[in-house]
Amino acid sequence: MINVQDNGLVKLSQIIYNYCGLRFADRLPTLKEKVSKRLLELGFSHWEYCQYLKMSPKEWDVLVELLTINETYFYREENQLNECCSYVLSLIKRKKRNRPIRIWSAACSSGEEPYTLAMLIQETGKFLPGSVEIIATDINKKVLQKAEMGWYHHGSFAFRRTPENLLKKYFTDKDGGYQINPSIQKMIKFQYLNLLDQAKIAQLAEVDIIFCRNVLIYFDHETTKRVIQSLHQNLATGGYLFLGHAESITDMSLGFKKVDSAKTFYYRKESDRDEKVQSISG
């Protein structure tokens, strides 16, 4: 039987879902565990905390930090990264005229993904400084601060897959950790972004490649569809979308065609003409 406190928890799960798409309606015990310490600090019930979020919007920064999982590392799912930097970028480069190629790392966490992309792009030797721009966004402001610093502790699991030669080439040993080189940092612009904020996404302007990996697994079908529609609108025709290996949009007719390569898969935004005759192919 649901008591008053449980009703407050249900309400909290609803406003979290509306704010950022994270679904806890069927995982209320998990939500309760994640917020219990914060509520104890404030001396609030779940109901009172819901009201506090309305009166103090900055509390969302604290709550998002409690709710999000930011486990990541350099060279994660490297087959996709290699496919992007050794093949897809070359395809796009042929079509570009007088503007840089733009890559968006959505949900970049503490920066390992965009920094890896930047390193791999430099490794190709095919792109002049400034010819590729990387926009890296996340809803968690604390991990964005870490990403902008570009410093990672020596013992960090972030380096579990990093080749030793690239660690030496692109990082400097500093204060018990590794500092990413300035040449890599200046390729990336970090900024706060909620993937449900369509107006803010539109302000990013058109991009050529989007990485949105291991994010959709936390959304339900409707939220996933909403997010993918926003990504589609910001992606250039013929541009590419990379999702996590456990994520699929093959059941959504949203103007993407699945691309299968030897070691991975990703999606290509079809032209308006193609979209009329073919939706996503599985």
Side-chain angles (χ1 to χ4, degrees), residues 3-259:
N3 58 36
V4 174
Q5 178 72 353
D6 291 328
N7 278 327
L9 190 60
V10 170
K11 178 63 176 178
L12 180 59
S13 73
Q14 291 171 341
I15 63 174
I16 290 169
Y17 177 77
N18 293 336
Y19 179 77
C20 61
L22 295 177
R23 185 174 179 83
F24 287 97
D26 54 352
R27 297 185 297 134
L28 292 178
T30 299
L31 176 59
K32 184 176 182 179
E33 181 180 356
K34 286 178 177 289
V35 302
S36 60
K37 184 177 179 181
R38 180 58 176 166
L39 266 61
L40 187 62
E41 290 174 353
L42 296 171
F44 288 160
S45 67
H46 294 118
W47 273 113
E48 291 168 333
Y49 192 57
C50 292
Q51 296 304 311
Y52 184 63
L53 287 166
K54 293 179 181 179
M55 295 185 296
S56 303
K58 289 186 177 181
E59 178 65 18
W60 277 108
D61 296 342
V62 178
L63 182 55
V64 165
E65 184 183 337
L66 295 174
L67 299 178
T68 52
I69 299 171
N70 299 293
E71 173 65 21
T72 186
Y73 49 91
F74 293 99
Y75 291 86
R76 186 176 186 179
E77 297 180 12
E78 61 184 296
N79 288 335
Q80 287 188 332
L81 299 167
N82 289 330
E83 180 80 6
C84 173
C85 296
S86 65
Y87 177 65
V88 170
L89 275 174
S90 296
L91 292 180
I92 295 175
K93 183 180 179 183
R94 295 182 198 135
K95 298 186 294 182
K96 296 290 103 173
R97 289 187 282 274
N98 298 314
R99 72 169 180 84
I101 297 172
R102 304 185 78 230
I103 303 174
W104 175 18
S105 172
C108 69
S109 187
S110 44
E112 287 87 341
E113 178 178 89
Y115 284 138
T116 301
L117 286 166
M119 287 186 282
L120 288 174
I121 289 166
Q122 284 207 11
E123 282 296 293
T124 68
K126 298 178 180 179
F127 299 93
L128 296 174
S131 62
V132 180
E133 298 176 351
I134 301 174
I135 306 101
T137 68
D138 203 275
I139 195 173
N140 187 323
K141 293 181 180 179
K142 186 173 182 178
V143 296
L144 277 175
Q145 290 175 352
K146 179 180 179 180
E148 286 187 296
M149 290 177 59
W151 182 91
Y152 303 86
H153 194 275
H154 280 158
S156 171
F157 284 118
F159 297 107
R160 70 184 76 170
R161 299 292 299 274
T162 309
E164 187 66 25
N165 65 312
L166 296 186
L167 183 61
K168 293 179 179 179
K169 184 175 181 179
Y170 291 110
F171 291 85
T172 301
D173 202 311
K174 178 183 177 182
D175 300 330
Y178 296 107
Q179 176 68 51
I180 194 78
N181 290 353
S183 64
I184 297 299
Q185 279 186 300
K186 69 181 182 181
M187 292 177 66
I188 304 166
K189 179 181 179 181
F190 291 98
Q191 65 183 78
Y192 166 82
L193 184 68
N194 182 340
L195 287 176
L196 295 193
D197 192 336
Q198 295 177 324
K200 291 291 186 181
I201 289 176
Q203 290 177 14
L204 293 179
E206 188 175 80
V207 296
D208 303 292
I209 299 170
I210 298 175
F211 278 78
C212 186
R213 305 191 297 174
N214 307 304
V215 179
L216 303 182
I217 54 175
Y218 300 107
F219 297 151
D220 62 12
H221 182 87
E222 288 305 312
T223 303
T224 295
K225 188 172 182 180
R226 179 179 170 186
V227 170
I228 294 298
Q229 286 173 331
S230 293
L231 302 186
H232 183 273
Q233 290 174 1
N234 265 62
L235 190 62
T237 299
Y240 295 87
L241 170 65
F242 289 83
L243 302 177
H245 286 154
E247 299 166 323
S248 174
I249 55 172
T250 54
D251 61 339
M252 301 178 187
S253 298
L254 297 174
F256 284 102
K257 180 179 179 180
K258 187 179 178 186
V259 179

